[in-house]
Amino acid sequence: MRRPARSTVTVAILLLAASRLAGQQPHLDKNDMPMPPNGRWPMHDPTRPQPRVVIPAPAPAEPVAAPTDATVLLGARDDLTAWQTLDGRPATWRMSNGVVEVGGGDIRTRQEFTDFQLHVEFATPADVRGDGQGRGNSGVYLLGAFEIEILDSYRNPTYPDGQAAAMYGQYPPLVNASRLPGEWQTYDITFTAPRFEGASLVKPAIVTVLHNGVLVHNATAFWGPTAHATLLPYNPNVTRGPITLQDHGNPVRFRNIWIRPVADYDEP
């Protein structure tokens, strides 16, 4: 697969980021929302059934150790050199004892990826403020374009395709496996990038997600890049890209982020 020029990927990511600046509002008129391809529920429909709540295992006392072949993006040392702002400046989020707190705009990895296994640990604020989309909001963007939502979804109803672990604006999680505010939580994500032949989509992006060890998406296809109240088409230039962490104005914390590239069976 041809790797797109960095300038093209960067422009695409900045455009996607701009499409998110309109915000993710908690109160929406479903009649104004786009109807997704499956035609079942309008995007961000607040009347859509809420995912069933399940209680996950207790939060780990220590970060989950990375396997030996993983690239550590956020580790025990106070080191953000693997990260930069969307426009390429050094990341400036506050970091202490291996924990970084959101603040100062979205950040993205300097390295770009295609197919991978990704481990992320995060905690929404223990001091609960706001509700709906205004409570513990952040996100993890795969290739800088496909968001797995971060939200404090512990006893915090919102539109289901915008709650914690949702494929934002597309699919709610199969269940709500959120821990209490302030507790460490995990996402374990397996992602396969979209494939194109020229400008034609051959295979969509596929994701499997475990939230706190509970399966919430099972080899599910994205309809395209994610955005608020918008259905975006696939872009043949976005087949490779960074991991992006969203600054949505809430002091969400992150620690222990690592990634393992996954090769196709015909790429030993």
Side-chain angles (χ1 to χ4, degrees):
M1 181 187 307
R2 181 181 66 85
R3 176 173 178 171
R6 180 176 293 273
S7 59
T8 304
V9 174
T10 301
V11 169
I13 290 167
L14 290 171
L15 289 173
L16 287 165
S19 74
R20 304 195 291 262
L21 292 180
Q24 299 171 5
Q25 302 300 320
H27 305 295
L28 300 164
D29 183 349
K30 67 179 181 179
N31 296 319
D32 294 334
M33 293 294 106
M35 181 62 74
N38 64 6
R40 298 187 62 189
W41 299 95
M43 183 179 284
H44 310 321
D45 185 349
T47 67
R48 188 173 185 167
Q50 294 286 327
R52 175 173 56 90
V53 173
V54 301
I55 300 174
E62 299 293 334
V64 177
T68 57
D69 63 347
T71 296
V72 176
L73 301 172
L74 196 63
R77 294 188 302 164
D78 293 346
D79 183 359
L80 280 174
T81 56
W83 301 85
Q84 61 185 3
T85 63
L86 297 186
D87 59 3
R89 292 177 288 113
T92 58
W93 287 10
R94 184 173 62 184
M95 190 173 188
S96 178
N97 298 320
V99 176
V100 67
E101 184 176 295
V102 170
D106 294 4
I107 60 173
R108 52 162 285 185
T109 57
R110 296 181 182 276
Q111 189 174 351
E112 295 178 349
F113 308 94
T114 300
D115 304 338
F116 50 80
Q117 173 191 351
L118 175 68
H119 177 85
V120 177
E121 299 184 20
F122 67 93
T124 61
D127 180 13
V128 176
R129 298 184 182 183
D131 57 15
Q133 293 290 296
R135 182 170 146 185
N137 195 320
S138 183
V140 179
Y141 286 84
L142 316 174
L143 309 192
F146 303 93
E147 182 184 13
I148 303 300
E149 176 75 0
I150 288 176
L151 194 76
D152 178 359
S153 286
Y154 184 80
R155 298 180 180 176
N156 179 35
T158 186
Y159 47 86
D161 63 12
Q163 77 154 68
M167 296 164 63
Y168 184 76
Q170 300 189 14
Y171 288 104
L174 295 171
V175 295
N176 179 352
S178 296
R179 294 192 176 112
L180 275 67
E183 292 189 356
W184 285 106
Q185 307 195 50
T186 61
Y187 284 162
D188 287 287
I189 300 168
T190 303
F191 179 80
T192 303
R195 267 50 174 180
F196 289 82
E197 290 183 358
S200 298
L201 180 69
V202 174
K203 184 178 179 180
I206 304 289
V207 72
T208 295
V209 181
L210 279 75
H211 181 195
N212 295 327
V214 179
L215 183 69
V216 293
H217 297 291
N218 185 18
T220 305
F222 283 95
W223 297 325
T226 57
H228 175 70
T230 306
L231 290 173
L232 296 175
Y234 270 97
N235 183 339
N237 291 319
V238 184
T239 57
R240 181 180 180 90
I243 305 301
T244 300
L245 303 180
Q246 183 188 46
D247 179 356
H248 201 279
N250 298 145
V252 174
R253 295 174 295 150
F254 291 91
R255 73 178 186 186
N256 191 34
I257 300 177
W258 48 261
I259 193 167
R260 298 178 62 250
V262 176
D264 287 338
Y265 284 111
D266 60 353
E267 298 176 6

